[in-house]
Amino acid sequence: MNFSLADIRTMLCVATRHTGTPMRDEDLEQEIALHALSAFRRLGHVSHPRALLMKIVHDKVRDHWRRRHPFEHLDSVDERLITQVPELELTIDIRRRLDLLDCALTRLPSHKRILMELFYEHDHSIPEIAKLQNRSVSAVKMELRRSRQTLARLVRMLATKNSRKLR
């Protein structure tokens, strides 16, 4: 079969319409031409030469796109493209809540604060705390519940007080 580079170029444009903008790539055209020449020589007589050439073009375009998408190292990607936009308002709100909690904890009676620290900061179980304080498990549970309630009241009171100051 006689085929020209113009035929290959036309078929390449048709094949690459499915992948996006039709492209003109001389290296790809030459690769297709070499592969087509080799295939036609190997097969000898071909009853539908344009169909075979179109199949070669499609295969080469697919191979081309597979090779064209290598993974990039993170070092080569611009940092601003992968970083998150800071959520300043959320950060400020969380900081204020933590400050309120810290202030409320300092105002909590010492025995309640110690109980809260043992349970939440040091991750002691209720039976362990009961053993440490020589108390029953139910007494520790009740005191922990009362400590949480007292802490919640203090946080609400401080939040109300702070919101009045801001007005």
Side-chain angles (χ1 to χ4, degrees), residues 112-143:
K112 290 184 179 189
R113 187 175 51 249
I114 290 169
L115 180 63
M116 298 283 276
E117 285 174 2
L118 286 172
F119 188 73
Y120 289 106
E121 288 182 32
H122 301 290
D123 293 325
H124 288 293
S125 67
I126 292 176
E128 289 173 343
I129 296 170
K131 190 175 180 181
L132 285 171
Q133 295 183 342
N134 293 326
R135 299 167 76 188
S136 69
V137 172
S138 62
V140 172
K141 281 184 183 178
M142 186 53 73
E143 189 61 33

Side-chain angles (χ1 to χ4, degrees), residues 84-121:
Q84 291 181 326
V85 177
E87 297 175 349
L88 298 175
E89 293 167 354
L90 182 63
T91 306
I92 290 169
D93 190 43
I94 290 170
R95 184 75 246 156
R96 284 182 184 159
R97 287 181 185 184
L98 288 173
D99 289 343
L100 268 176
L101 183 61
D102 189 43
C103 187
L105 280 169
T106 58
R107 293 182 179 203
L108 202 62
S110 63
H111 68 282
K112 290 184 179 189
R113 187 175 51 249
I114 290 169
L115 180 63
M116 298 283 276
E117 285 174 2
L118 286 172
F119 188 73
Y120 289 106
E121 288 182 32

Side-chain angles (χ1 to χ4, degrees), residues 9 24-31:
R9 203 169 288 135
R24 169 122 168 52
D25 187 345
E26 289 179 11
D27 291 338
L28 186 57
E29 289 171 8
Q30 289 175 5
E31 190 176 333

Side-chain angles (χ1 to χ4, degrees), residues 3 38 42 51 54 67 78 81 84 103 132 134 151 158:
F3 56 87
S38 170
R42 188 179 65 247
M54 194 62 187
R67 285 193 315 259
D78 189 5
L81 297 176
Q84 291 181 326
C103 187
L132 285 171
N134 293 326
L151 185 62
L158 290 170

